[in-house]
Amino acid sequence: MSADTAGPETLGSLSTEPEHQDPNSQQAKEIAGKSPMRIALGRLAKDKIAVVCAVVVLFFIICAVFAGPISAAFGVSLETPLASERVDGLNQGLPKPEMGPPNGPFTMEHPMGVAPRTGEDNLAYWLYGCRVSLLIAATATLFASVVGVIVGLLAGFLGGAVDKMLSFFIDMFLTIPFLLAALTIAPIINDRFNLSDNYGTIQKTALIVVLSIFGWMGTARLIRGEVLALREREFVQAARVMGMPTRRILFKELLPNLAAPIIISISLMLPTFVALEAGLAFLGIGVTDGVSWGQTILKATNLTFFREYPQYLWQPLLGIVALVLSLNLLGDAVRDALDPKTRR
């Protein structure tokens, strides 16, 4: 029916129809007056996968920080006992543990069983291995992030010859194969400090330095690109006109606006370092003097161990997979939550 032939009732009904509502109006009201960080936290809270991953990461952090009290609560420790007290040494081939599945009954004295041949408690080594992995990865991430942010700020803001020089160093470090460098540095450290009383601490420190040296370049490139865009903004130009010192512009004006890319870089760097720490320990060039998930996996890859006592391998391996996967998924969720273009 055309508008010319429509009756009064029809025209009245057409004029009283509600106008189309903007689907984003409610969302706009919800985020009005909130800071970008609060908006991001709200998005993360609504993301079920992010919440589950955050709980898993928090669990590992608690295990790492309170490894000593948790071990004491279960009555386990890193002390090496007499193997004959926990392992059946009369068994031909592999001396099987006498407690813990699959060869023995479950016991609260050793909830995760004991290691074959040595009788070392698996729970204690799992907890302290978690502490070592997170400690090394978190420390290396902190140092690499600080170096990357400073280099990126200077290269992006100063430009010119400084930018060219710093970009050259970034590209130079990116061309060095990390594994080859680690294989070269590890024997030097082993020969130099092998007889030292603090050899374990020196190994951990050297690993942190190596990870930091070869882990800052991605952050530096990311920050440099962001600063190149921000330095042309009005608030930076106004600060320059006012004669504000370069240091103040960098750390008071630019740095607060780089929170999102820095958080994203850290969330992606941390799981990489966790996996690298375990992988290097497995190859024998990481933490070899002390407790490490990678060292436990190296011992457990013995074919006899894997066939007769598979949980000795699966326990640290599942810990690494769960931690790295949770950190990666949480990092992706953080990246999406901080991106203003997403509608999650």
Side-chain angles (χ1 to χ4, degrees), residues 20-269:
H20 180 67
Q21 296 291 332
D22 184 6
N24 295 325
S25 60
Q26 185 64 29
Q27 182 182 4
K29 292 179 181 178
E30 292 178 357
I31 66 175
K34 293 184 179 180
S35 66
M37 195 58 64
R38 287 188 61 188
I39 297 172
L41 291 176
R43 290 179 175 179
L44 279 178
K46 296 178 182 179
D47 191 338
K48 295 181 180 179
I49 296 178
V51 172
V52 172
C53 292
V55 171
V56 174
V57 172
L58 180 62
F59 167 77
F60 279 100
I61 292 175
I62 292 174
C63 289
V65 175
F66 300 102
I70 295 174
S71 298
F74 282 96
V76 298
S77 66
L78 297 177
E79 295 180 2
T80 304
L82 291 174
S84 58
E85 297 177 358
R86 302 178 181 176
V87 178
D88 181 12
L90 299 178
N91 180 59
Q92 294 182 355
L94 172 68
K96 295 183 179 180
E98 295 180 337
M99 52 192 67
N103 303 314
F106 176 81
T107 172
M108 286 302 296
E109 295 180 359
H110 304 284
M112 294 174 64
V114 296
R117 288 186 181 167
T118 61
E120 297 165 340
D121 186 84
N122 291 339
L123 176 59
Y125 273 74
W126 191 92
L127 289 171
Y128 283 95
C130 178
R131 170 184 285 184
V132 170
S133 292
L134 276 178
L135 176 64
I136 292 176
T139 308
T141 299
L142 176 62
F143 288 149
S145 299
V146 171
V147 173
V149 169
I150 293 175
V151 172
L153 276 172
L154 294 176
F157 184 75
L158 298 179
V162 176
D163 184 21
K164 292 181 179 179
M165 182 183 65
L166 293 178
S167 297
F168 169 77
F169 278 107
I170 293 173
D171 295 336
M172 183 183 69
F173 274 94
L174 285 172
T175 60
I176 302 175
F178 170 76
L179 186 58
L180 180 61
L183 288 170
T184 304
I185 296 173
I188 298 174
I189 296 175
N190 291 337
D191 292 340
R192 176 65 179 83
F193 300 103
N194 194 20
L195 300 179
S196 175
D197 296 335
N198 298 322
Y199 181 56
T201 304
I202 293 173
Q203 269 193 330
K204 295 181 180 67
T205 304
L207 183 57
I208 291 171
V209 171
V210 171
L211 291 174
S212 302
I213 289 176
F214 295 98
W216 60 271
M217 295 83 71
T219 302
R221 274 190 164 184
L222 177 63
I223 299 301
R224 175 183 174 272
E226 294 290 333
V227 173
L228 286 175
L230 287 174
R231 72 178 186 178
E232 304 300 331
R233 299 280 294 273
E234 291 81 0
F235 68 95
V236 177
Q237 296 298 329
R240 283 178 164 177
V241 171
M242 294 171 59
M244 191 176 294
T246 301
R247 183 180 62 180
R248 182 176 176 83
I249 296 176
L250 291 176
F251 295 102
K252 296 293 184 179
E253 302 295 334
L254 288 175
L255 190 59
N257 290 279
L258 297 172
I262 292 173
I263 293 174
I264 293 171
S265 177
I266 291 174
S267 66
L268 298 178
M269 193 186 306

